[in-house]
Amino acid sequence: AGTLRRAALVALVTIPPFLGYLTITDSLYTAESTHPRGTLNRLLEHYEISGFPPSAVLLTECRVLFLYLGTIFAPWAVPPQLLRVMTVSPSLWDSVETTAAFLGVVTLLLAGCALIRRQPLVSFGILFFFLTLAPESTLIPQYLFFGYRPILPMAGLLGIVGYGLVSVWRWVEGRGMASLQFVCILFAGLVIGGVGSITWRQALKWEPLQFWREIFERLPPASANMEIQ
């Protein structure tokens, strides 16, 4: 009953603005509009332009999601880029990377649902990440160049990180280990400094010529799994 009440409250907050958005966008449609009338028709148009079915879009997004996670938690291994070249995964068995990413997404979703009662903050962080990333990830299925989009979804992950840091600190504090507390503070400072340094180096590359040169140099070989539009 409590879950249903919370779901009803979320619906009360989200559905009216969504209906208002649909009404406004429909009222702005004119005979001179470039795209067809109606949200569903525009969505279908996006898929027709891309030439890829929804299944390929979802499988590709599984890989993109773990690319985002790598950029957030290991930026030294997956440097942050505003734009990155991607190929599309046409099937679940297209590559080991696609299969592993799909299984990873399923595992995370199941974990988010299983932890609702035991660890509600962790569950909220996982599900928030997925739910806020899903609309933008699937509504415009064009992937050769995609933007870095997990800015809002990162809030859920940061909640999990904060919860983990507080738990570790309480564990250390409860044992009265001043030296270990110092090590924790030093480690956190090194992580923050390292991430800041990586961000600064990437920002230096974001002048027009260098920005597009780096993307061009990382283009994969032409194939049927690349967006051609």
Side-chain angles (χ1 to χ4, degrees), residues 12-62:
L12 183 64
V13 173
T14 57
I15 291 179
F18 179 68
L19 293 177
Y21 167 78
L22 293 179
T23 302
I24 293 173
T25 54
D26 187 70
S27 66
L28 294 176
Y29 179 85
T30 65
E32 292 76 24
S33 297
T34 303
H35 299 288
R37 186 169 196 165
T39 302
L40 181 59
N41 289 330
R42 286 195 294 274
L43 177 60
L44 294 174
E45 181 189 47
H46 291 320
Y47 276 88
E48 290 175 0
I49 292 174
S50 72
F52 298 111
S55 59
V57 173
L58 291 175
L59 290 173
T60 304
E61 277 302 322
C62 290

Side-chain angles (χ1 to χ4, degrees), residues 15 34 46 52 54 67 74 77-78 153 173 182-183 202 223:
I15 291 179
T34 303
H46 291 320
F52 298 111
L67 187 65
V78 188
E173 193 175 37
F182 175 77
V183 171
Q202 288 298 115
S223 70

Side-chain angles (χ1 to χ4, degrees):
T3 301
L4 290 177
R5 285 197 298 270
R6 284 191 286 269
L9 180 61
V10 171
L12 183 64
V13 173
T14 57
I15 291 179
F18 179 68
L19 293 177
Y21 167 78
L22 293 179
T23 302
I24 293 173
T25 54
D26 187 70
S27 66
L28 294 176
Y29 179 85
T30 65
E32 292 76 24
S33 297
T34 303
H35 299 288
R37 186 169 196 165
T39 302
L40 181 59
N41 289 330
R42 286 195 294 274
L43 177 60
L44 294 174
E45 181 189 47
H46 291 320
Y47 276 88
E48 290 175 0
I49 292 174
S50 72
F52 298 111
S55 59
V57 173
L58 291 175
L59 290 173
T60 304
E61 277 302 322
C62 290
R63 290 170 43 227
V64 172
L65 183 142
F66 279 96
L67 187 65
Y68 286 158
L69 292 177
T71 300
I72 294 168
F73 293 112
W76 53 88
V78 188
Q81 289 182 255
L82 185 61
L83 294 176
R84 189 185 301 269
V85 177
M86 289 291 293
T87 56
V88 176
S89 298
S91 71
L92 180 60
W93 317 114
D94 173 61
S95 65
V96 175
E97 180 185 2
T98 300
T99 306
F102 176 78
L103 294 176
V105 167
V106 172
T107 301
L108 286 174
L109 285 173
L110 291 176
C113 295
L115 293 172
I116 288 178
R117 292 188 178 276
R118 295 174 55 192
Q119 295 289 348
L121 181 59
V122 175
S123 173
F124 171 81
I126 295 173
L127 298 179
F128 183 86
F129 180 77
F130 278 96
L131 291 175
T132 53
L133 188 59
E136 192 175 2
S137 300
T138 55
L139 295 183
I140 304 180
Q142 298 174 0
Y143 291 102
L144 180 54
F145 298 105
F146 74 90
Y148 181 77
R149 296 187 295 229
I151 297 173
L152 174 61
M154 278 180 62
L157 300 181
L158 293 177
I160 297 175
V161 171
Y163 174 78
L165 291 175
V166 170
S167 300
V168 171
W169 185 258
R170 285 178 176 173
W171 181 84
V172 173
E173 193 175 37
R175 282 155 179 77
M177 302 178 182
S179 59
L180 190 54
Q181 288 178 338
F182 175 77
V183 171
C184 291
I185 294 172
L186 180 61
F187 177 75
L190 290 174
V191 170
I192 294 172
V195 172
S197 175
I198 292 170
T199 304
W200 177 260
R201 291 201 303 272
Q202 288 298 115
L204 294 176
K205 299 178 182 179
W206 289 352
E207 59 92 15
L209 181 60
Q210 178 63 28
F211 177 86
W212 290 107
R213 176 187 296 163
E214 185 174 4
I215 294 172
F216 177 77
E217 290 174 349
R218 296 187 181 187
L219 277 171
S223 70
N225 294 342
M226 291 178 65
E227 180 195 354
I228 60 175
Q229 298 293 332

